[in-house]
Amino acid sequence: IVLNLIYDQGDTYFTSGTLNVMSYMISQTLLIALTFCLFLIVSNRLNRELESDIFRRKLVEEQLKFSLEEKKTLLQEIHHRVKNNMVVVSDIHEILYKSDNLSAVDMNLYLTKLTRDVVQNYTLGNRVSFKIKAELILIGTRQASPIGLIINELITNSLKYAFPDTEEGEIKINLQKTEDQIELTYMDNGIGIPENFDWYNTNSMGLNLVKMLAENQLDGSIDMESNNGTKFTIKFNIET
């Protein structure tokens, strides 16, 4: 009985058993290669997903960090304004206590004392001179309070941003009657506000507060000029 058939392949002879072995080895090799390719595909996909997850996680961490920093800054701003509001109210009460008129505030005394109290919280204050000129005007506490908050915000803004660390500066505050209105002007000779800066529509909490106090609390108007420094002009009527 012939167990194997002989196949003529040129000068080489292969038995059917040999072909079966070779076929098996080739199929196994192909299977291994296919498995390896699938492994690479899956591995690359998993790596991309992992990198994407890491990126998203880092992005979320950065967003959370930024949000926390924003909240921290906001809390500091709120604390600063609450503290300054207490200074404004305290100064009004002190001036009223020492005055014969308990319903109106001497604005010259008030602005002078308020400026001194605000400046003492900043090391830069000793390099900035203040010139305060206010006519003999008595204003009720309802209007004196927002005026004090406005001046406080503007002084704070000037001391923070208007003067570089090595530069001396000057701030002028004037309060006068102009026909049927009161005009409050605040000027510093600092670096000024950038030309393309829209202060009226800014996200700055301080400047928005100044605008709100001038327009809503004093029922007045506010304008800003930036030329050799920054100048704010606020006009309003005295309540009777």
Side-chain angles (χ1 to χ4, degrees):
I1 300 173
V2 179
L3 297 178
N4 295 310
L5 298 175
I6 307 299
Y7 295 89
D8 185 0
Q9 298 293 333
D11 296 333
T12 307
Y13 294 89
F14 297 91
T15 65
S16 60
T18 303
L19 290 175
N20 288 336
V21 171
M22 291 180 63
S23 227
Y24 174 78
M25 292 178 64
I26 292 173
S27 64
Q28 291 301 308
T29 302
L30 291 175
L31 181 60
I32 293 172
L34 180 60
T35 303
F36 182 70
C37 289
L38 290 174
F39 169 77
L40 289 179
I41 293 172
V42 173
S43 178
N44 288 335
R45 181 177 179 181
L46 290 175
N47 284 336
R48 287 195 299 270
E49 291 179 353
L50 180 59
E51 290 175 355
S52 179
D53 288 341
I54 293 173
F55 175 77
R56 286 195 295 268
R57 183 176 298 176
K58 287 184 177 180
L59 184 61
V60 170
E61 289 177 353
E62 289 297 324
Q63 290 174 340
L64 288 174
K65 182 179 179 182
F66 181 74
S67 178
L68 288 173
E69 289 296 327
E70 277 191 325
K71 288 180 173 60
K72 181 180 178 182
T73 301
L74 180 60
L75 287 174
Q76 290 175 341
E77 292 286 342
I78 293 174
H79 176 266
H80 164 74
R81 281 165 177 80
V82 170
K83 180 180 178 181
N84 289 337
N85 191 27
M86 292 175 64
V87 171
V88 169
V89 174
S90 175
D91 286 347
I92 290 178
H93 288 173
E94 183 176 342
I95 291 174
L96 288 176
Y97 179 76
K98 296 179 179 179
S99 172
D100 294 333
N101 190 337
L102 299 180
S103 61
V105 179
D106 183 330
M107 294 306 295
N108 188 35
L109 290 176
Y110 176 52
L111 293 177
T112 300
K113 187 176 188 313
L114 176 64
T115 300
R116 184 175 63 249
D117 291 343
V118 173
V119 171
Q120 70 181 4
N121 294 321
Y122 296 89
T123 56
L124 182 63
N126 57 9
R127 292 194 289 104
V128 178
S129 62
F130 288 81
K131 293 184 178 180
I132 300 172
K133 182 179 180 181
E135 294 181 4
L136 184 57
I137 303 173
L138 296 178
I139 294 181
T141 56
R142 185 179 179 279
Q143 288 186 304
S145 179
I147 290 174
L149 291 173
I150 288 171
I151 293 300
N152 170 73
E153 288 294 334
L154 294 178
I155 291 176
T156 299
N157 189 71
S158 293
L159 295 180
K160 281 185 175 180
Y161 307 112
F163 308 107
D165 292 340
T166 59
E167 185 176 331
E168 295 183 351
E170 181 181 73
I171 292 175
K172 295 180 180 179
I173 302 173
N174 295 327
L175 185 70
Q176 61 182 353
K177 287 183 179 180
T178 57
E179 298 179 356
D180 59 341
Q181 283 190 318
I182 299 296
E183 182 178 281
L184 172 66
T185 59
Y186 175 94
M187 299 171 284
D188 70 49
N189 64 346
I191 61 176
I193 293 178
E195 184 177 352
N196 59 348
F197 181 74
D198 185 4
W199 78 271
Y200 198 82
N201 297 305
T202 180
N203 292 325
S204 167
M205 183 182 293
L207 291 179
N208 279 323
L209 180 59
V210 168
K211 181 179 66 174
M212 181 190 69
L213 290 169
E215 295 178 343
N216 299 339
Q217 296 296 313
L218 294 175
D219 294 323
S221 64
I222 179 170
D223 294 303
M224 189 278 293
E225 303 173 32
S226 186
N227 184 18
N228 295 323
T230 304
K231 177 181 178 181
F232 287 90
T233 302
I234 299 171
K235 296 180 180 180
F236 60 96
N237 296 318
I238 293 183
E239 289 184 344
T240 57

